[in-house]
């Protein structure tokens, strides 16, 4: 499967929120959890900084940051991940989670995605 709107821990900025939501739930989320996710850009640490901003108490985010920092320090890529991992730390795949909805102050997945995307577009964390 090819998911053109997803990167490790994130969603590409040029993809409209509705498209990201549709891709996340129609194409990515239903794939087997063991499906490997490869992306063509190394934005993992930047995306995970945003994920930590959205969910500062998410243990999966914190663990992935630690693992990614170790890999980058060793000159290794942070990809691939798996669909299961993305579901645990990628806020753009977690728009139905109460903690992400609380951050966005919305409950509709498309609206949550819109809020996340707007904040991420200017996030410098």
């Amino acid at each position: 499967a090819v998911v053109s709107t997803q990167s490790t821990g994130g969603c590409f900025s040029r993809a409209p929120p509705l498209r990201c939501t549709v891709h996340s739930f129609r194409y990515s989320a239903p794939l087997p959890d063991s499906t490997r996710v490869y992306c063509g850009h190394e934005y993992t640490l930047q995306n995970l900084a945003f994920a930590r901003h959205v969910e500062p108490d998410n243990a999966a985010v914190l663990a992935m940051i630690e693992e990614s920092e170790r890999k980058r320090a060793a000159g290794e890529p942070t990809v691939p991940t798996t669909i299961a991992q993305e579901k645990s730390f990628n806020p753009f795949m977690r728009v139905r989670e109460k903690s992400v909805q609380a951050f966005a102050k919305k409950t509709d997945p498309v609206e949550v995605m819109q809020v996340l995307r707007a904040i991420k577009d200017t996030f410098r964390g």
Side-chain angles (χ1 to χ4, degrees):
V2 175
V3 182
S4 63
T5 60
Q6 188 170 330
S7 61
T8 302
C11 177
F12 290 122
S13 61
R14 291 182 196 91
L18 179 58
R19 182 172 170 206
C20 281
T21 305
V22 168
H23 275 266
S24 289
F25 294 112
R26 185 175 293 162
Y27 301 113
S28 298
L31 292 171
D33 282 347
S34 61
T35 302
R36 291 177 180 244
V37 178
Y38 292 86
C39 59
H41 303 280
E42 186 58 73
Y43 297 141
T44 303
L45 286 171
Q46 297 95 316
N47 289 339
L48 290 171
F50 180 68
R52 180 176 49 203
H53 178 68
V54 174
E55 292 184 287
D57 298 323
N58 183 332
V61 171
L62 302 176
M64 187 62 180
I65 289 171
E66 186 176 310
E67 178 183 339
S68 297
E69 287 175 340
R70 180 189 54 76
K71 285 182 174 182
R72 295 308 298 148
E76 299 173 9
T78 61
V79 296
T81 57
T82 65
I83 291 293
Q85 287 175 298
E86 293 292 328
K87 287 177 182 177
S88 73
F89 62 70
N90 184 336
F92 295 97
M93 288 192 73
R94 296 174 55 77
V95 295
R96 290 184 175 150
E97 296 294 324
K98 297 290 184 205
S99 54
V100 177
Q101 292 175 349
F103 173 85
K105 297 179 177 67
K106 303 282 183 185
T107 56
D108 176 83
V110 174
E111 291 178 353
V112 173
M113 185 73 73
Q114 288 173 317
V115 170
L116 291 177
R117 186 69 263 160
I119 295 170
K120 176 72 165 76
D121 284 346
T122 59
F123 181 76
R124 301 288 174 246

